Amino acid sequence: MDLKRIDEIISQHTDTHDGAYPPVIPILQDIQSEYRWLPEPALVHTAKRLRVPLVDLYGIATFYQSFRLTPPGEHQINLCMGTACHVEGAPLILGKLERKLGIKAGEVTEDGKFGLDEVRCVGCCALAPVMVVDEDYHSLKGKKDVGKIIDEKRKSDEKVSN
Amino acid sequence: MERLTSLEKFHELQSTVRAERPEDRPQVIISAGTCGQARGANGVYDAFRDALAERNLSEKVELKRTGCHGYCEVEPNALVLPQGVFYAHLEPKNIAEIVDETIVNGRVVEKYVVANADGSEHFALAQELPFYRRQQRNLLTLNTLIEPTKIEDYLALDGYAAFAKALSSMSRPEVIEEMKRSGLRGRGGGGFPTGMKWEFCYKEQADLKYVVCNADEGDPGAYMDRSLLEGNPHVVIEGMLIGAYAVGAQHGYIYVRDEYPIAVRHLQIAIEQARELGLLGESILGTDFSFDLQMSRGAGAFVCGEETALLHSIESKRGMPRQRPPFPAQSGLWGKPTNINNVETWANVPLIVNKGADWFAAQGTEQSKGSKIFALVGKIRNTGLVEVPMGITLRELVYDVGGGIPNDKQIKAVQTGGPSGGCIPAHLLDLPVDFDALREAGSIMGSGGMVVMDEATCMVDVAKYFLEFLEGESCGKCTPCRMGTPLMLEIVERICDGHGTPEDLDTLESLAKTIKNCSLCGLGQTSPNPVLSTLRYFRDEYEAHVYDKVCPACLCQNLIRYEIDQDTCISCDRCRKACPVEAITGELKQHNYYIHNHLCIRCGACEEQCPVSAISRLPGYNPPADGAEAKKQSPSHSTAVGSAGGEQ
């Protein structure tokens, strides 16, 4: 793991910051946008550099839902569990996705291709029920086959690798 | 752009950008908030760009990509100005025709405008649409006219004029007095008078003060703050500038949900633009007032919408609330006096300063002034963001603005206020929507989420849903909330599973009251609301689950069964193929399809795939003992009847 990159991220924040407590959250956010999760060596290094107990970093990384301590899938599927999505049938869709992928929410498929997460409201309630695959928002209203979106993703990946 | 060093320079710039933008200029405006883009607004934008270029109209017609216009149901949509024609459900292939007909020839293309439910009436102009007619779009109008990444668009429509007015002609107490007179109350949920809050902070003596914008819109089912930040970030910045001037703050933070990438991007651009123009920074417009602003991205914690938790999060700590007092006005960010308001509250500030407190106070009800944006979602025809005067009734909102309930269903309840709110039953639809009336009815206005529920919604399931949410979001600091919400959830889960006892209902009620009275922060204190309000208005549904082991809405998986109506079934084999657990047997065209109840996992796949709606959900896990129901399902399948009847 390239700890130099972690140092750069930390410096970007500590150089401009004037608060009493080091800006841990923005630093972790930037590390996560670099690696898509928070690898342990990165956390250990950050704790040393900032002179913050590792347990505090761990506390923050587990308190806030956007931080991941395990690698996500190559494609991350976030199923919205907001109120509007719930009344439009999101729980049944979750079941479908879990059966399709053979994993539970919060897990990643064995080949590492797909990760499935339940998320709180993504704020697109008019499209409910909503699924976000990577950056793309899909409205599943009236869509019977959610598996198709996954199949298509898989197919387009295969095309690229061929 | 050149930095503005005086008020005169500001007015000069204002006249320049206004002159460049005559009101009657031809424009095509695409609604492209997160939901618009998800529905294909960017493709529509590109099609307009190409079609205009092909006809050499790019110079003459201004094409804009704005934030959300509110009418999310019919996206992607476009507004053609100056005629005001509103086109809905657009696809890139329709665009050339619209450009030729409407922009070149000045005619309306009727097939792309919004029609009423039975198609008998078409509404070509935006102001004629029933969805818009009853609204009072004080804030959302600007969303349709401003390109959020262009500060000039905002400046041309009186942008930053309120700030300039306050800075040049009003003293700090005068600004606060104006806010107090307007009657503006916090739009984030609490409903606390904004002017009073400002006054508390103003009166504190300190070397450094902060203002904070709470953009951690966590309520599921509410997205007005996202739309404001995406569509008009400058109005929030201007509101904060006025607030900072009034309370004497030097620095500000906007704490925004990281789940809103477009809002984060537009806000960042807007802050940089304001800084470049000298509207943020040292000696603003040549005065001795200095103020700068930065964004703080949230990391996904619902409790951070609570003000003390939010402050801890900006300080890069765990977002846990603390006891108040001291209130943030006395001791907030890093111990300094801090004034926190919600996005929509800040956005109202420039309007009040520009148009006056009397203008604002003339709208709404006695205790709740002005307009409020609601997210009208769930089982309703016109989903979207609506801005209406306070005091409008729920019935007007649901039927006149929202167009009623789709699929000939009956309305059962309107859930307001997110997880801290409650469910208002259909018989209270004539309730005026303001802070106090909703609270009396056992709910709250909250940030303005309104989820409409129809007869197919199980109210016990709704209570379970919110408890799951709150259990996951409880920060764990105080015992009543940390231990109480899981206990309540356990009971409600038991009821939904058909194992509830009559004592459970009493325990639930007393637990709810304890949590309400003893929790530390707003999240805990309001967490029993969904349970208490559903118990109050829908006790019969709880009792059906407990005594009859039946889910009247046919939703709770343990209390329903699926059956095939043999008279309707066309024996097409689709359900058997769709079933993930091989619980359906039958042969193509043999009219012997049958669902084996003991194998069925109640996933709904067969019901969804059935082309003739022959599969339905029935109340009760097992068919009645006399076998009458079972006979109906499969008259020719003797073994199956046996298994269905005999299974436990």
Side-chain angles (χ1 to χ4, degrees), chain A residues 114 150-162:
Chain A
F114 292 95
I150 295 168
D151 291 337
E152 275 164 14
K153 247 316 157 306
R154 204 165 251 154
K155 234 183 249 165
S156 71
D157 277 7
E158 276 163 16
K159 248 187 219 158
V160 172
S161 65
N162 288 339

Side-chain angles (χ1 to χ4, degrees), chain B residues 342-505:
Chain B
N342 148 280
V343 173
E344 199 184 332
T345 316
W346 285 122
N348 269 301
V349 169
L351 279 177
I352 292 170
V353 172
N354 251 340
K355 300 192 176 181
D358 296 328
W359 166 83
F360 190 81
Q363 308 165 31
T365 62
E366 188 60 33
Q367 297 296 326
S368 305
K369 301 295 187 191
S371 61
K372 171 82 188 87
I373 307 177
F374 292 99
L376 209 50
V377 297
K379 307 282 190 180
I380 188 148
R381 258 201 200 98
N382 300 332
T383 55
L385 283 184
V386 302
E387 186 176 356
V388 289
M390 292 272 197
I392 192 171
T393 66
L394 278 171
R395 189 181 302 282
E396 289 170 301
L397 258 177
V398 171
Y399 288 96
D400 297 348
V401 180
I405 317 300
N407 308 322
D408 296 322
K409 291 257 171 65
Q410 292 295 316
I411 185 171
K412 187 186 267 187
V414 181
Q415 204 280 339
T416 71
S420 303
C423 297
I424 314 269
H427 73 263
L428 291 181
L429 275 184
D430 291 312
L431 202 73
V433 178
D434 68 15
F435 288 107
D436 311 298
L438 288 180
R439 186 161 293 160
E440 271 165 43
S443 185
I444 60 165
M445 184 180 301
S447 54
M450 280 202 176
V451 187
V452 180
M453 296 167 174
D454 67 7
E455 54 199 295
T457 313
C458 168
M459 300 316 284
V460 189
D461 177 72
V462 168
K464 184 175 88 168
Y465 162 77
F466 281 117
L467 285 173
E468 275 168 359
F469 183 96
L470 289 157
E471 186 216 17
E473 295 297 337
S474 171
C475 79
K477 184 168 180 173
C478 75
T479 316
C481 175
R482 183 183 67 238
M483 305 296 288
T485 38
L487 276 176
M488 280 203 292
L489 176 61
E490 206 182 297
I491 296 175
V492 174
E493 272 177 344
R494 197 155 64 217
I495 294 173
C496 287
D497 285 347
H499 305 304
T501 62
E503 297 79 60
D504 278 342
L505 296 181

Side-chain angles (χ1 to χ4, degrees), chain B residues 255-276:
Chain B
Y255 185 86
V256 58
R257 259 188 113 193
D258 208 26
E259 289 89 333
Y260 292 169
I262 299 178
V264 169
R265 196 163 64 237
H266 287 180
L267 200 53
Q268 192 61 49
I269 294 171
I271 291 174
E272 278 158 24
Q273 287 172 338
R275 217 175 263 153
E276 212 180 293

Side-chain angles (χ1 to χ4, degrees), chain B residues 505-552:
Chain B
L505 296 181
D506 299 334
T507 318
L508 200 57
E509 222 159 8
S510 92
L511 253 175
K513 282 177 186 153
T514 309
I515 297 167
K516 194 173 181 146
N517 292 333
C518 306
S519 292
L520 173 69
C521 80
L523 185 147
Q525 287 157 13
T526 56
S527 66
N529 280 355
V531 168
L532 285 172
S533 72
T534 46
L535 265 175
R536 175 167 162 193
Y537 297 117
F538 301 97
R539 203 179 177 95
D540 55 330
E541 288 196 29
Y542 280 86
E543 287 171 351
H545 284 72
V546 169
Y547 294 104
D548 309 332
K549 309 295 176 205
V550 156
C551 174

Side-chain angles (χ1 to χ4, degrees), chain B residues 127-171:
Chain B
Q127 66 262 32
E128 289 175 353
L129 284 166
F131 179 75
Y132 288 129
R133 239 173 358 210
R134 293 296 306 271
Q135 296 193 40
Q136 174 151 359
R137 296 164 60 86
N138 297 344
L139 292 171
L140 287 178
T141 298
L142 289 181
N143 259 36
T144 56
L145 297 175
I146 288 172
E147 206 156 348
T149 51
K150 291 195 177 137
I151 192 170
E152 299 88 346
D153 272 10
Y154 182 62
L155 286 167
L157 293 167
D158 277 344
Y160 291 102
F163 168 61
K165 178 182 168 186
L167 191 64
S168 61
S169 65
M170 292 167 88
S171 70

Side-chain angles (χ1 to χ4, degrees), chain B residues 23-29 48 57 60-62 78-87 98-109 113 123-128 145:
Chain B
E23 261 181 39
D24 57 353
R25 68 193 188 280
Q27 298 179 68
V28 174
I29 303 175
F48 265 112
L57 289 169
K60 282 193 195 134
V61 180
E62 191 180 338
L79 181 66
V80 182
L81 293 178
Q83 298 91 332
V85 184
F86 185 90
Y87 289 114
I98 289 176
V99 172
D100 286 334
E101 283 298 306
T102 309
I103 296 173
V104 178
N105 297 324
R107 287 194 292 256
V108 173
V109 192
V113 305
F123 308 98
L125 301 180
Q127 66 262 32
E128 289 175 353
L145 297 175

